[in-house]
Coordinates of all heavy atoms in Angstrom, one line a residue:
M100 N 32.1 -70.2 -31.5 CA 32.7 -71.5 -31.1 C 32.6 -72.5 -32.2 O 31.6 -72.6 -32.9 CB 31.9 -72.0 -29.9 CG 32.4 -73.4 -29.4 SD 31.4 -74.0 -28.0 CE 32.0 -72.9 -26.7
E101 N 33.7 -73.2 -32.5 CA 33.8 -74.2 -33.5 C 33.5 -75.6 -33.0 O 33.9 -75.9 -31.9 CB 35.1 -74.2 -34.2 CG 35.3 -73.2 -35.3 CD 36.6 -73.4 -36.0 OE1 36.9 -74.5 -36.3 OE2 37.2 -72.4 -36.2
Y102 N 32.8 -76.3 -33.7 CA 32.5 -77.7 -33.3 C 33.2 -78.7 -34.3 O 33.3 -78.4 -35.5 CB 31.0 -78.0 -33.4 CG 30.2 -77.2 -32.4 CD1 29.5 -76.1 -32.9 CD2 30.1 -77.5 -31.1 CE1 28.8 -75.3 -32.0 CE2 29.4 -76.8 -30.2 CZ 28.7 -75.7 -30.7 OH 28.0 -74.9 -29.8
A103 N 33.7 -79.7 -33.7 CA 34.4 -80.8 -34.5 C 33.6 -82.1 -34.4 O 33.2 -82.4 -33.3 CB 35.8 -81.0 -34.1
A104 N 33.3 -82.7 -35.5 CA 32.6 -84.0 -35.5 C 33.5 -85.1 -35.0 O 34.8 -85.0 -35.1 CB 32.2 -84.4 -36.9
P105 N 33.0 -86.1 -34.3 CA 33.8 -87.1 -33.8 C 34.6 -87.8 -34.9 O 34.2 -88.0 -36.0 CB 32.8 -88.2 -33.2 CG 31.6 -87.4 -33.0 CD 31.6 -86.2 -34.0
G106 N 35.9 -88.0 -34.6 CA 36.8 -88.6 -35.6 C 37.4 -87.6 -36.6 O 38.1 -88.0 -37.5
E107 N 37.0 -86.4 -36.6 CA 37.5 -85.4 -37.5 C 38.4 -84.4 -36.9 O 38.1 -83.2 -36.6 CB 36.3 -84.6 -38.2 CG 35.5 -85.5 -39.1 CD 34.4 -84.7 -39.8 OE1 34.4 -83.5 -39.7 OE2 33.6 -85.4 -40.5
G108 N 39.6 -84.8 -36.4 CA 40.5 -84.0 -35.8 C 40.3 -83.6 -34.4 O 41.0 -82.8 -33.8
V109 N 39.4 -84.3 -33.7 CA 39.2 -84.1 -32.3 C 40.4 -84.7 -31.5 O 40.7 -85.8 -31.8 CB 37.9 -84.7 -31.8 CG1 37.7 -84.5 -30.3 CG2 36.7 -84.0 -32.5
D110 N 41.0 -83.9 -30.7 CA 42.2 -84.3 -30.0 C 41.9 -85.6 -29.2 O 40.8 -85.8 -28.6 CB 42.6 -83.2 -29.1 CG 44.0 -83.5 -28.4 OD1 44.9 -83.5 -29.1 OD2 43.9 -83.8 -27.2
Q111 N 42.9 -86.5 -29.1 CA 42.7 -87.8 -28.3 C 42.4 -87.5 -26.9 O 41.6 -88.2 -26.3 CB 44.1 -88.6 -28.4 CG 44.0 -89.9 -27.8 CD 43.3 -90.9 -28.6 OE1 43.0 -90.7 -29.7 NE2 43.0 -92.0 -27.9
I112 N 43.0 -86.5 -26.3 CA 42.7 -86.2 -24.9 C 41.3 -85.7 -24.7 O 40.6 -86.2 -23.8 CB 43.7 -85.1 -24.4 CG1 45.1 -85.6 -24.4 CG2 43.2 -84.6 -23.0 CD1 46.1 -84.6 -24.1
A113 N 40.7 -84.9 -25.7 CA 39.3 -84.5 -25.6 C 38.4 -85.7 -25.7 O 37.4 -85.8 -24.9 CB 39.0 -83.5 -26.7
D114 N 38.7 -86.6 -26.6 CA 37.9 -87.8 -26.8 C 37.8 -88.6 -25.5 O 36.8 -89.1 -25.0 CB 38.4 -88.7 -27.9 CG 38.1 -88.2 -29.3 OD1 37.2 -87.3 -29.4 OD2 38.7 -88.6 -30.3
S115 N 39.0 -88.8 -24.9 CA 39.2 -89.6 -23.7 C 38.4 -88.9 -22.5 O 37.7 -89.6 -21.8 CB 40.7 -89.7 -23.3 OG 40.8 -90.4 -22.1
T116 N 38.5 -87.6 -22.4 CA 37.8 -86.8 -21.4 C 36.3 -86.9 -21.6 O 35.6 -87.2 -20.6 CB 38.2 -85.4 -21.4 OG1 39.6 -85.3 -21.2 CG2 37.5 -84.6 -20.3
E117 N 35.8 -86.8 -22.8 CA 34.4 -86.9 -23.1 C 33.9 -88.3 -22.7 O 32.8 -88.5 -22.1 CB 34.1 -86.5 -24.5 CG 34.3 -85.1 -24.8 CD 34.3 -84.7 -26.2 OE1 34.3 -85.6 -27.1 OE2 34.3 -83.5 -26.5
Q118 N 34.7 -89.3 -23.1 CA 34.2 -90.7 -22.8 C 34.2 -90.9 -21.3 O 33.3 -91.6 -20.8 CB 35.2 -91.7 -23.4 CG 34.8 -93.1 -23.2 CD 33.3 -93.4 -23.7 OE1 32.9 -93.0 -24.8 NE2 32.6 -94.1 -22.9
H119 N 35.1 -90.4 -20.6 CA 35.1 -90.5 -19.1 C 33.9 -89.8 -18.5 O 33.2 -90.4 -17.6 CB 36.4 -89.8 -18.5 CG 36.5 -89.8 -17.1 ND1 36.7 -91.0 -16.3 CD2 36.3 -88.8 -16.2 CE1 36.6 -90.7 -15.0 NE2 36.4 -89.3 -14.9
I120 N 33.5 -88.6 -19.0 CA 32.4 -87.9 -18.5 C 31.1 -88.8 -18.7 O 30.3 -88.9 -17.9 CB 32.2 -86.5 -19.2 CG1 33.3 -85.6 -18.7 CG2 30.9 -85.9 -19.0 CD1 33.5 -84.3 -19.4
I121 N 31.0 -89.3 -19.9 CA 29.8 -90.2 -20.3 C 29.8 -91.4 -19.4 O 28.7 -91.8 -18.9 CB 29.8 -90.5 -21.8 CG1 29.5 -89.2 -22.5 CG2 28.7 -91.6 -22.1 CD1 29.8 -89.3 -24.0
S122 N 30.9 -92.0 -19.2 CA 31.0 -93.2 -18.4 C 30.6 -92.9 -16.9 O 29.9 -93.7 -16.3 CB 32.4 -93.8 -18.5 OG 32.5 -94.9 -17.6
M123 N 31.1 -91.8 -16.4 CA 30.8 -91.4 -15.0 C 29.3 -91.1 -14.9 O 28.7 -91.5 -13.9 CB 31.6 -90.3 -14.6 CG 33.1 -90.6 -14.4 SD 33.4 -91.9 -13.2 CE 32.8 -91.1 -11.7
A124 N 28.7 -90.5 -15.9 CA 27.3 -90.2 -15.9 C 26.5 -91.5 -15.8 O 25.5 -91.7 -15.0 CB 26.9 -89.4 -17.1
S125 N 26.9 -92.5 -16.5 CA 26.2 -93.8 -16.5 C 26.4 -94.5 -15.1 O 25.4 -95.0 -14.6 CB 26.8 -94.7 -17.6 OG 26.2 -96.0 -17.6
N126 N 27.6 -94.4 -14.6 CA 27.8 -94.9 -13.2 C 26.9 -94.2 -12.2 O 26.4 -94.8 -11.3 CB 29.2 -94.9 -12.8 CG 30.1 -95.8 -13.7 OD1 29.6 -96.7 -14.3 ND2 31.4 -95.6 -13.7
D127 N 26.9 -92.8 -12.3 CA 26.1 -92.0 -11.4 C 24.6 -92.4 -11.4 O 24.0 -92.5 -10.4 CB 26.3 -90.5 -11.6 CG 27.7 -90.1 -11.2 OD1 28.4 -90.8 -10.5 OD2 28.0 -88.9 -11.6
A128 N 24.1 -92.6 -12.6 CA 22.7 -93.0 -12.8 C 22.4 -94.3 -12.1 O 21.4 -94.5 -11.5 CB 22.4 -93.0 -14.3
A129 N 23.3 -95.3 -12.4 CA 23.1 -96.6 -11.8 C 23.2 -96.5 -10.2 O 22.3 -97.1 -9.6 CB 24.2 -97.6 -12.3
Y130 N 24.1 -95.7 -9.7 CA 24.2 -95.6 -8.3 C 23.0 -94.9 -7.7 O 22.4 -95.3 -6.7 CB 25.5 -94.7 -7.9 CG 25.6 -94.4 -6.5 CD1 25.9 -95.3 -5.6 CD2 25.4 -93.1 -6.1 CE1 26.0 -95.0 -4.2 CE2 25.5 -92.8 -4.7 CZ 25.8 -93.7 -3.8 OH 25.9 -93.4 -2.4
A131 N 22.5 -93.8 -8.4 CA 21.3 -93.2 -7.9 C 20.1 -94.1 -7.9 O 19.3 -94.1 -6.9 CB 20.9 -92.0 -8.9
L132 N 19.9 -95.0 -8.9 CA 18.8 -95.9 -8.9 C 18.9 -96.9 -7.7 O 17.9 -97.3 -7.1 CB 18.7 -96.7 -10.2 CG 18.3 -95.8 -11.4 CD1 18.5 -96.6 -12.7 CD2 16.9 -95.3 -11.2
T133 N 20.1 -97.3 -7.3 CA 20.4 -98.1 -6.2 C 20.0 -97.4 -4.9 O 19.4 -98.0 -4.0 CB 21.8 -98.6 -6.2 OG1 22.1 -99.3 -7.4 CG2 22.1 -99.6 -5.0
V134 N 20.5 -96.2 -4.8 CA 20.3 -95.4 -3.5 C 18.9 -95.2 -3.2 O 18.4 -95.3 -2.1 CB 21.1 -94.1 -3.6 CG1 20.7 -93.1 -2.5 CG2 22.6 -94.3 -3.6
V135 N 18.1 -94.8 -4.2 CA 16.7 -94.4 -4.0 C 15.8 -95.7 -3.5 O 14.8 -95.4 -2.9 CB 16.0 -93.7 -5.2 CG1 16.7 -92.5 -5.5 CG2 15.9 -94.7 -6.3
E136 N 16.4 -96.8 -3.7 CA 15.6 -98.0 -3.3 C 15.9 -98.4 -1.8 O 15.3 -99.2 -1.2 CB 16.0 -99.3 -4.1 CG 15.6 -99.1 -5.6 CD 14.1 -99.0 -5.7 OE1 13.3 -99.7 -4.9 OE2 13.6 -98.2 -6.6
R137 N 16.9 -97.7 -1.2 CA 17.3 -98.0 0.2 C 16.4 -97.1 1.1 O 16.4 -95.9 1.1 CB 18.7 -97.7 0.4 CG 19.7 -98.6 -0.4 CD 21.1 -98.4 0.0 NE 21.5 -97.3 0.8 CZ 22.5 -96.5 0.7 NH1 23.3 -96.6 -0.4 NH2 22.8 -95.5 1.5
P138 N 15.6 -97.8 2.0 CA 14.7 -97.0 2.9 C 15.4 -96.2 3.9 O 14.8 -95.2 4.4 CB 13.8 -98.1 3.5 CG 14.6 -99.4 3.4 CD 15.5 -99.2 2.1
E139 N 16.7 -96.5 4.2 CA 17.3 -95.8 5.3 C 18.0 -94.5 4.8 O 18.6 -93.7 5.5 CB 18.4 -96.7 6.0 CG 19.6 -97.0 5.1 CD 19.4 -98.2 4.1 OE1 18.3 -98.7 4.0 OE2 20.4 -98.6 3.5
V140 N 17.9 -94.2 3.5 CA 18.5 -93.0 2.9 C 17.8 -91.7 3.5 O 16.6 -91.6 3.5 CB 18.5 -93.0 1.4 CG1 19.0 -91.7 0.8 CG2 19.2 -94.2 0.9
S141 N 18.6 -90.8 4.0 CA 18.1 -89.6 4.5 C 17.8 -88.5 3.4 O 18.2 -88.6 2.3 CB 19.1 -88.9 5.5 OG 20.2 -88.4 4.8
N142 N 17.0 -87.6 3.8 CA 16.7 -86.4 2.9 C 17.9 -85.7 2.5 O 18.1 -85.3 1.3 CB 15.7 -85.5 3.5 CG 14.3 -86.0 3.5 OD1 14.0 -87.0 2.8 ND2 13.4 -85.4 4.3
A143 N 18.9 -85.6 3.4 CA 20.1 -84.9 3.1 C 20.9 -85.7 2.0 O 21.5 -85.1 1.1 CB 21.0 -84.7 4.3
E144 N 20.9 -87.0 2.2 CA 21.6 -87.8 1.2 C 21.0 -87.7 -0.2 O 21.7 -87.7 -1.2 CB 21.7 -89.3 1.6 CG 22.6 -89.5 2.8 CD 22.5 -90.9 3.4 OE1 21.3 -91.3 3.7 OE2 23.5 -91.6 3.6
L145 N 19.7 -87.7 -0.2 CA 18.9 -87.6 -1.5 C 19.2 -86.2 -2.1 O 19.4 -86.1 -3.3 CB 17.4 -87.8 -1.3 CG 17.0 -89.3 -1.0 CD1 15.5 -89.3 -0.6 CD2 17.4 -90.2 -2.1
C146 N 19.3 -85.2 -1.3 CA 19.6 -83.8 -1.8 C 21.0 -83.8 -2.4 O 21.2 -83.2 -3.5 CB 19.4 -82.8 -0.7 SG 17.7 -82.4 -0.3
A147 N 21.9 -84.4 -1.7 CA 23.3 -84.5 -2.3 C 23.3 -85.2 -3.6 O 24.0 -84.9 -4.5 CB 24.2 -85.1 -1.2
L148 N 22.5 -86.3 -3.6 CA 22.5 -87.1 -4.9 C 21.9 -86.3 -6.0 O 22.4 -86.4 -7.1 CB 21.7 -88.4 -4.6 CG 21.5 -89.4 -5.7 CD1 22.9 -89.9 -6.2 CD2 20.6 -90.5 -5.3
V149 N 20.9 -85.6 -5.8 CA 20.2 -84.7 -6.8 C 21.3 -83.7 -7.3 O 21.4 -83.4 -8.5 CB 19.0 -84.1 -6.3 CG1 18.5 -83.0 -7.3 CG2 17.9 -85.1 -6.1
R150 N 22.0 -83.1 -6.4 CA 23.0 -82.1 -6.8 C 24.1 -82.8 -7.7 O 24.5 -82.2 -8.7 CB 23.7 -81.4 -5.6 CG 22.8 -80.4 -4.9 CD 23.6 -79.6 -3.9 NE 23.9 -80.3 -2.7 CZ 23.1 -80.6 -1.7 NH1 21.9 -80.1 -1.7 NH2 23.5 -81.3 -0.7
K151 N 24.5 -84.0 -7.3 CA 25.5 -84.7 -8.1 C 24.9 -85.0 -9.5 O 25.6 -84.9 -10.5 CB 25.9 -86.0 -7.3 CG 26.8 -86.9 -8.1 CD 28.1 -86.3 -8.4 CE 29.0 -87.3 -9.1 NZ 30.2 -86.6 -9.8
L152 N 23.7 -85.5 -9.5 CA 23.1 -85.8 -10.9 C 22.9 -84.6 -11.7 O 23.1 -84.6 -12.9 CB 21.7 -86.5 -10.6 CG 21.9 -87.9 -10.1 CD1 20.5 -88.5 -9.8 CD2 22.6 -88.8 -11.0
A153 N 22.6 -83.4 -11.1 CA 22.4 -82.2 -11.9 C 23.8 -81.8 -12.5 O 23.9 -81.4 -13.6 CB 21.9 -81.0 -10.9
T154 N 24.9 -82.0 -11.7 CA 26.2 -81.7 -12.3 C 26.5 -82.6 -13.4 O 27.1 -82.2 -14.4 CB 27.2 -81.8 -11.1 OG1 26.9 -80.8 -10.1 CG2 28.6 -81.5 -11.6
T155 N 26.2 -83.9 -13.2 CA 26.4 -84.9 -14.2 C 25.7 -84.5 -15.5 O 26.3 -84.6 -16.6 CB 26.0 -86.3 -13.7 OG1 26.8 -86.6 -12.6 CG2 26.3 -87.3 -14.7
I156 N 24.4 -84.1 -15.4 CA 23.6 -83.8 -16.5 C 24.3 -82.6 -17.3 O 24.3 -82.6 -18.5 CB 22.2 -83.5 -16.2 CG1 21.5 -84.8 -15.7 CG2 21.4 -82.8 -17.3 CD1 20.1 -84.6 -15.0
R157 N 24.7 -81.6 -16.5 CA 25.3 -80.4 -17.1 C 26.6 -80.8 -17.8 O 26.8 -80.4 -19.0 CB 25.7 -79.4 -16.0 CG 26.3 -78.1 -16.6 CD 26.5 -77.1 -15.5 NE 27.3 -77.7 -14.4 CZ 27.1 -77.3 -13.1 NH1 26.3 -76.4 -12.8 NH2 27.8 -77.9 -12.2
D158 N 27.4 -81.7 -17.3 CA 28.6 -82.1 -17.9 C 28.3 -82.9 -19.2 O 29.0 -82.7 -20.3 CB 29.4 -83.1 -17.0 CG 30.0 -82.3 -15.8 OD1 30.0 -81.1 -15.8 OD2 30.4 -83.0 -14.9
V159 N 27.3 -83.8 -19.2 CA 27.0 -84.5 -20.4 C 26.4 -83.6 -21.5 O 26.7 -83.8 -22.7 CB 26.0 -85.7 -20.1 CG1 25.5 -86.4 -21.3 CG2 26.8 -86.8 -19.2
A160 N 25.6 -82.7 -21.0 CA 25.1 -81.7 -22.0 C 26.2 -80.9 -22.6 O 26.2 -80.6 -23.9 CB 24.1 -80.7 -21.3
S161 N 27.2 -80.6 -21.9 CA 28.4 -79.9 -22.5 C 29.1 -80.7 -23.5 O 29.5 -80.2 -24.5 CB 29.4 -79.5 -21.4 OG 28.8 -78.5 -20.6
V162 N 29.2 -82.0 -23.2 CA 29.9 -82.9 -24.2 C 29.0 -82.9 -25.5 O 29.6 -82.8 -26.6 CB 30.0 -84.4 -23.6 CG1 30.3 -85.4 -24.7 CG2 31.0 -84.4 -22.5
A163 N 27.7 -83.1 -25.3 CA 26.8 -83.1 -26.5 C 26.9 -81.8 -27.3 O 27.0 -81.8 -28.5 CB 25.4 -83.4 -26.1
E164 N 26.9 -80.7 -26.6 CA 27.1 -79.4 -27.2 C 28.4 -79.3 -28.0 O 28.4 -78.8 -29.1 CB 26.9 -78.3 -26.2 CG 26.9 -76.9 -26.8 CD 26.7 -75.8 -25.8 OE1 26.1 -76.1 -24.7 OE2 27.1 -74.7 -26.1
L165 N 29.4 -79.6 -27.3 CA 30.7 -79.5 -28.0 C 30.8 -80.5 -29.1 O 31.6 -80.2 -30.1 CB 31.8 -79.8 -27.0 CG 32.0 -78.7 -25.9 CD1 33.0 -79.2 -24.9 CD2 32.5 -77.4 -26.6
R166 N 30.2 -81.6 -29.1 CA 30.2 -82.5 -30.2 C 29.2 -82.1 -31.3 O 29.1 -82.8 -32.4 CB 29.8 -83.9 -29.7 CG 30.9 -84.6 -28.9 CD 32.1 -84.9 -29.8 NE 33.1 -85.7 -29.1 CZ 33.6 -86.8 -29.5 NH1 33.1 -87.3 -30.6 NH2 34.5 -87.4 -28.8
G167 N 28.4 -81.1 -31.1 CA 27.5 -80.7 -32.1 C 26.3 -81.6 -32.3 O 25.7 -81.7 -33.4
E168 N 26.0 -82.3 -31.2 CA 25.0 -83.4 -31.3 C 23.7 -83.0 -30.7 O 22.9 -83.8 -30.3 CB 25.5 -84.7 -30.6 CG 26.7 -85.2 -31.3 CD 27.3 -86.4 -30.6 OE1 26.8 -86.8 -29.5 OE2 28.3 -86.9 -31.0
R169 N 23.4 -81.7 -30.7 CA 22.1 -81.3 -30.2 C 21.0 -81.7 -31.1 O 21.1 -81.7 -32.3 CB 22.1 -79.8 -30.0 CG 23.0 -79.2 -28.9 CD 22.6 -77.8 -28.7 NE 23.8 -77.0 -28.8 CZ 23.8 -75.7 -28.9 NH1 22.7 -75.0 -28.9 NH2 24.9 -75.1 -29.0
L170 N 19.9 -82.1 -30.4 CA 18.7 -82.4 -31.2 C 18.0 -81.1 -31.6 O 18.0 -80.1 -30.9 CB 17.8 -83.3 -30.4 CG 18.4 -84.6 -29.9 CD1 17.4 -85.3 -29.0 CD2 18.7 -85.5 -31.1
N171 N 17.3 -81.1 -32.7 CA 16.6 -79.9 -33.2 C 15.1 -79.9 -33.0 O 14.5 -79.0 -33.5 CB 17.0 -79.6 -34.6 CG 18.4 -79.2 -34.8 OD1 18.9 -78.5 -34.0 ND2 19.1 -79.8 -35.8
S172 N 14.6 -80.9 -32.3 CA 13.1 -80.9 -32.2 C 12.7 -79.9 -31.2 O 13.5 -79.6 -30.3 CB 12.6 -82.3 -31.7 OG 13.0 -82.5 -30.4
P173 N 11.5 -79.3 -31.3 CA 11.0 -78.3 -30.3 C 11.0 -78.9 -28.9 O 11.4 -78.2 -27.9 CB 9.6 -78.0 -30.8 CG 9.6 -78.3 -32.2 CD 10.6 -79.5 -32.4
A174 N 10.7 -80.1 -28.7 CA 10.7 -80.7 -27.4 C 12.1 -80.8 -26.8 O 12.3 -80.5 -25.6 CB 10.1 -82.1 -27.4
A175 N 13.0 -81.2 -27.6 CA 14.4 -81.3 -27.1 C 15.0 -79.9 -26.7 O 15.7 -79.7 -25.7 CB 15.3 -81.9 -28.1
R176 N 14.6 -78.9 -27.5 CA 15.1 -77.5 -27.3 C 14.4 -77.0 -26.0 O 15.1 -76.3 -25.1 CB 14.8 -76.6 -28.4 CG 15.9 -76.7 -29.5 CD 15.7 -75.7 -30.6 NE 15.0 -76.5 -31.6 CZ 14.0 -76.0 -32.3 NH1 13.6 -74.8 -32.3 NH2 13.4 -76.8 -33.2
A177 N 13.2 -77.3 -25.8 CA 12.5 -76.9 -24.6 C 13.1 -77.6 -23.3 O 13.3 -76.9 -22.3 CB 11.0 -77.2 -24.7
L178 N 13.4 -78.8 -23.4 CA 14.0 -79.5 -22.3 C 15.4 -78.9 -22.0 O 15.8 -78.7 -20.9 CB 14.1 -81.0 -22.6 CG 14.9 -81.9 -21.6 CD1 14.2 -81.8 -20.2 CD2 14.9 -83.3 -22.1
E179 N 16.2 -78.7 -23.0 CA 17.5 -78.1 -22.9 C 17.4 -76.7 -22.2 O 18.1 -76.5 -21.2 CB 18.2 -77.9 -24.2 CG 19.6 -77.3 -24.1 CD 20.2 -77.0 -25.4 OE1 19.6 -77.2 -26.5 OE2 21.4 -76.6 -25.4
E180 N 16.5 -75.9 -22.6 CA 16.3 -74.6 -22.0 C 15.9 -74.7 -20.5 O 16.4 -74.0 -19.7 CB 15.3 -73.8 -22.8 CG 15.8 -73.3 -24.1 CD 14.7 -72.6 -25.0 OE1 13.7 -72.2 -24.4 OE2 14.9 -72.5 -26.2
A181 N 15.0 -75.7 -20.2 CA 14.5 -75.9 -18.9 C 15.6 -76.3 -18.0 O 15.8 -75.9 -16.8 CB 13.4 -76.8 -18.8
L182 N 16.5 -77.3 -18.4 CA 17.6 -77.8 -17.7 C 18.6 -76.7 -17.4 O 19.1 -76.5 -16.3 CB 18.2 -79.0 -18.4 CG 17.5 -80.3 -18.3 CD1 18.1 -81.3 -19.3 CD2 17.5 -80.8 -16.9
R183 N 18.9 -75.9 -18.5 CA 19.9 -74.8 -18.3 C 19.4 -73.8 -17.3 O 20.2 -73.3 -16.5 CB 20.2 -74.2 -19.7 CG 21.1 -75.1 -20.6 CD 21.4 -74.3 -21.9 NE 22.1 -75.2 -22.7 CZ 23.4 -75.6 -22.6 NH1 24.1 -75.1 -21.7 NH2 24.0 -76.4 -23.5
A184 N 18.2 -73.5 -17.4 CA 17.6 -72.5 -16.4 C 17.7 -73.0 -15.0 O 18.0 -72.3 -14.1 CB 16.1 -72.2 -16.8
A185 N 17.3 -74.3 -14.8 CA 17.4 -74.9 -13.5 C 18.8 -74.9 -13.0 O 19.0 -74.6 -11.8 CB 16.7 -76.3 -13.5
L186 N 19.7 -75.3 -13.8 CA 21.1 -75.4 -13.4 C 21.7 -74.1 -13.1 O 22.6 -73.9 -12.3 CB 22.0 -76.2 -14.4 CG 21.6 -77.7 -14.5 CD1 22.3 -78.3 -15.7 CD2 21.9 -78.4 -13.2
S187 N 21.3 -73.0 -13.8 CA 21.9 -71.7 -13.6 C 21.5 -71.1 -12.3 O 22.1 -70.1 -11.8 CB 21.5 -70.8 -14.8 OG 20.1 -70.5 -14.7
Q188 N 20.5 -71.6 -11.7 CA 20.0 -71.1 -10.4 C 20.8 -71.6 -9.3 O 20.7 -71.1 -8.1 CB 18.5 -71.5 -10.2 CG 17.6 -70.8 -11.2 CD 16.2 -71.4 -11.0 OE1 15.9 -72.1 -10.1 NE2 15.3 -70.9 -11.9
H189 N 21.7 -72.5 -9.5 CA 22.5 -73.1 -8.4 C 23.9 -72.9 -8.5 O 24.6 -72.6 -9.4 CB 22.3 -74.7 -8.3 CG 20.8 -75.0 -8.0 ND1 20.3 -74.8 -6.8 CD2 19.8 -75.4 -8.8 CE1 19.0 -75.2 -6.8 NE2 18.7 -75.5 -8.1

């Protein structure tokens, strides 16, 4: 798989799609923080929220991977492996 640096021939549509994914992830995170503060939220709603956030994390990780922006520290690699393992189980 080839990686292209931002601004170096990356198609306009890909840039727009990636920006949309990142923007939606930010919105999802803000929504999740609001939801968890509501005492009337059910366990089912919280489970659905966790599933949505897991999907969002996977999408943002894909954007980072495609952009070649992975961190190389051992802690970052361990976190990435743990997240991928957890997401692959669902």
Side-chain angles (χ1 to χ4, degrees):
M100 178 181 289
E101 276 187 45
Y102 296 100
E107 291 184 6
V109 176
D110 186 74
Q111 183 77 12
I112 294 171
D114 285 343
S115 176
T116 300
E117 291 170 352
Q118 184 55 46
H119 176 73
I120 289 169
I121 292 167
S122 176
M123 291 302 297
S125 180
N126 292 342
D127 289 347
Y130 175 72
L132 292 172
T133 301
V134 168
V135 299
E136 295 298 323
R137 295 186 353 222
E139 71 276 8
V140 175
S141 71
N142 283 344
E144 290 171 308
L145 290 175
C146 286
L148 182 61
V149 168
R150 281 191 292 279
K151 174 65 176 158
L152 290 174
T154 299
T155 299
I156 290 168
R157 183 177 51 215
D158 293 346
V159 170
S161 292
V162 168
E164 184 176 335
L165 291 171
R166 289 293 186 125
E168 296 174 0
R169 288 194 234 169
L170 299 175
N171 290 318
S172 72
R176 278 184 266 140
L178 176 59
E179 178 185 7
E180 289 174 18
L182 285 171
R183 288 185 186 279
L186 292 173
S187 70
Q188 295 175 4
H189 299 283

